[in-house]
Amino acid sequence: MTLFRAALLNPVDVQSWQFLDDAGLLVLDGVVRAVGRFDDVVKNYPWEPVKLDGVILPGFADVHIHWVQHAVRGRYAQDLLPWLATHIWPEEARYADSLLAEQRAAEFFADCLAAGTVMGMSYSSPHPTAARIAHAARRGDWVTGNVVMTANAPADLVAASVKPPADLASLSEALGRTHYAITPRFALNCPADDLAALGAFARHQGLAVQTHLAESIAEVREVARLFPQALDYTDVYDEAGLLGPRTVLGHCLHLSAREWRCLKARGCWIAHCPSSNEALDSGRFDLDSARRYQVPFALASDVGAGPSHSMLHVMQRFRRQHQAAEVRVDPEEALFRATLAGARAMGRGAVAGSLDPGRRADFVLMPRGARAQSPQAWFEDLLEGSPDELEQRPLGTWIAGHQVSTGSGRIPLEPTLPC
């Protein structure tokens, strides 16, 4: 049993959070057993506390990130389709090399932990061996899928890709149902028969599904050309049986009203990737429609189009992009979308994503700086800075109550007005 003492900020929902200036966080066997004002907690559990100088937040969840693009994150900017063909697919072809994959996987997970990310959904390359390597190297709670690319891609990647459904059983068994996701890269890389086979396998095995939907206008047009029988892009996946409560769809920028209604009816989640959308100039997520149709979404970095794996940076871009369009995004929503919403999208909402009793004690320590006027002001200061600065801001990361990264903490908060 460990009793941590620090300030604490815990998400409740889209509109609210719990802030405690002097909190006690009691952890037993990796799980939060009590949380509250320190004096109240220590009264019932008189343990010597571990004092942490900073503010505890739940560890972040990144529900759409390409670990095999981490080494080239933010390096290229181009419209989606030529960006993939020119830069990304040649990079992913390198993951046929198991030694390279092992080195890159170790770097990826270490960098995520240092930035405070403790869980997420990652896209691997088409190579089954690379997916196995990422699964073995994971640090934290991750769902991984090897992208399926059986058409309209370089011959080496098509050859490396699994052929559904025959090649899926051994891989899903090796990674486990809770850590493996059926991952068609997007509709342009999979004929209708393969999409249907992937959908049937996911349903039969109870697996998560992750893919991309309507990221760019050119992509939407090409899907319409290749699938003329479909009502729209979303209908391609719906007809294949790929849409459901365990489906997480990246981007969803260019959707019709019918598509929004379909996503709501199927219970799908959206991975909103503001920094990536900005980097590739793909468009702005229709936050008003997501709210109107009540389609759930969580935040994600989409590295490597996204320039940074820092969820602080993703939250910064989330707020600024929508505020520039005069759509209100409060600090409370930003924290919720990067933590508890992400855990729920992954099917982990009952066990992770906040620091409520009964959940896994995954948390990140942030610098307090000069005390701000309010938690909201402190949080806004926390999100200030460049991607590099935000990656280096955390002071440490804990999983199940054990410290797994010291962070760097070299980038302090700017002084703010005292309470």
Side-chain angles (χ1 to χ4, degrees):
M1 185 181 292
T2 306
L3 177 59
F4 295 95
R5 183 176 189 176
L8 182 145
L9 187 62
N10 194 31
V12 176
D13 53 35
V14 173
Q15 298 178 322
S16 60
W17 57 29
Q18 174 193 35
F19 175 73
L20 298 169
D21 185 67
D22 184 19
L25 181 72
L26 185 75
V27 178
L28 176 62
D29 295 332
V31 175
V32 176
R33 295 302 180 188
V35 63
R37 293 178 58 252
F38 178 77
D39 289 344
D40 295 335
V41 174
V42 77
K43 187 184 304 181
N44 295 318
Y45 303 95
W47 292 86
E48 184 68 25
V50 175
K51 297 180 181 179
L52 301 177
D53 184 14
V55 181
I56 290 174
L57 304 177
F60 302 127
D62 187 342
V63 296
H64 185 107
I65 185 168
H66 297 255
W67 78 269
V68 289
Q69 299 174 19
H70 184 61
V72 295
R73 62 193 180 279
R75 189 176 297 179
Y76 310 110
Q78 209 171 354
D79 190 64
L80 173 66
L81 298 183
W83 173 78
L84 287 170
T86 304
H87 304 295
I88 297 306
W89 290 347
E91 172 66 16
E92 291 192 8
R94 302 179 64 197
Y95 284 78
D97 182 339
S98 295
L99 292 178
L100 172 73
E102 289 172 358
Q103 175 187 344
R104 293 283 180 81
E107 293 169 353
F108 169 77
F109 288 111
D111 284 353
C112 283
L113 287 180
T117 299
V118 299
M119 60 193 305
M121 298 184 71
S122 73
Y123 287 61
S124 193
S125 67
H127 313 91
T129 300
R132 291 172 185 262
I133 287 170
H135 177 73
R138 74 192 188 283
R139 299 177 66 192
D141 188 353
W142 287 86
V143 176
T144 300
N146 49 303
V147 293
V148 179
M149 304 171 65
T150 56
N152 303 317
D156 55 344
L157 294 182
V158 171
S161 181
V162 297
K163 307 303 185 287
D167 298 337
L168 293 172
S170 62
L171 194 56
S172 63
E173 182 178 346
L175 273 63
R177 292 185 181 183
T178 60
H179 291 285
Y180 183 67
I182 295 299
T183 310
R185 180 167 220 127
F186 59 174
L188 297 182
N189 285 146
C190 295
D193 288 348
D194 285 347
L195 290 174
L198 292 169
F201 188 83
R203 292 193 307 275
H204 183 262
Q205 298 294 322
L207 296 171
V209 174
Q210 59 179 355
T211 189
H212 300 79
L213 173 62
E215 182 176 357
S216 79
I217 292 174
E219 171 201 6
V220 172
R221 290 172 178 165
E222 187 64 9
V223 169
R225 186 183 70 83
L226 291 179
F227 297 87
Q229 76 286 359
L231 298 174
D232 45 48
Y233 197 161
T234 300
D235 190 49
V236 173
Y237 292 145
D238 198 24
E239 284 295 310
L242 286 162
L243 301 185
R246 297 209 64 198
T247 303
V248 180
L249 300 160
H251 304 289
C252 299
L253 301 185
H254 307 285
L255 301 180
S256 66
R258 195 212 73 82
E259 290 175 284
W260 280 109
R261 290 192 295 269
C262 180
L263 297 184
K264 171 62 176 177
R266 301 293 179 264
C268 300
W269 279 83
I270 293 174
H272 175 24
C273 311
S275 56
S276 166
N277 299 338
E278 188 174 59
L280 297 187
D281 197 23
S282 299
R284 185 180 70 87
F285 180 64
D286 189 350
L287 185 54
D288 283 336
S289 288
R291 290 169 172 172
R292 183 184 319 120
Y293 291 100
Q294 298 182 320
V295 176
F297 71 92
L299 291 176
S301 68
D302 191 28
V303 160
S308 173
H309 55 272
S310 168
M311 293 302 290
L312 295 176
H313 181 252
V314 173
M315 287 187 281
Q316 177 198 93
R317 305 321 304 162
F318 174 52
R319 297 196 70 218
R320 290 185 182 177
Q321 281 179 26
H322 295 299
Q323 287 174 336
E326 300 184 345
V327 178
R328 180 171 176 170
V329 178
D330 292 328
E332 292 88 341
E333 179 170 8
L335 180 62
F336 173 78
R337 299 292 183 192
T339 53
L340 187 52
R344 289 174 178 172
M346 294 176 62
R348 311 286 204 264
V351 297
S354 80
L355 296 173
D356 293 339
R359 288 187 166 90
R360 196 171 54 232
D362 299 347
F363 59 89
V364 57
L365 184 68
M366 293 294 179
R368 185 147 191 170
R371 294 170 64 185
Q373 287 178 301
S374 67
Q376 289 80 6
W378 172 81
F379 192 77
E380 290 179 347
D381 288 345
L382 184 71
L383 302 188
E384 289 295 324
S386 69
D388 286 346
E389 290 172 335
L390 293 171
E391 288 171 13
Q392 297 173 38
R393 184 147 291 160
L395 299 171
T397 303
W398 283 253
I399 291 179
H402 298 282
Q403 189 166 8
V404 292
S405 176
T406 59
S408 60
R410 296 195 297 269
I411 307 300
L413 297 180
E414 292 298 321
T416 51
L417 295 175
C419 295

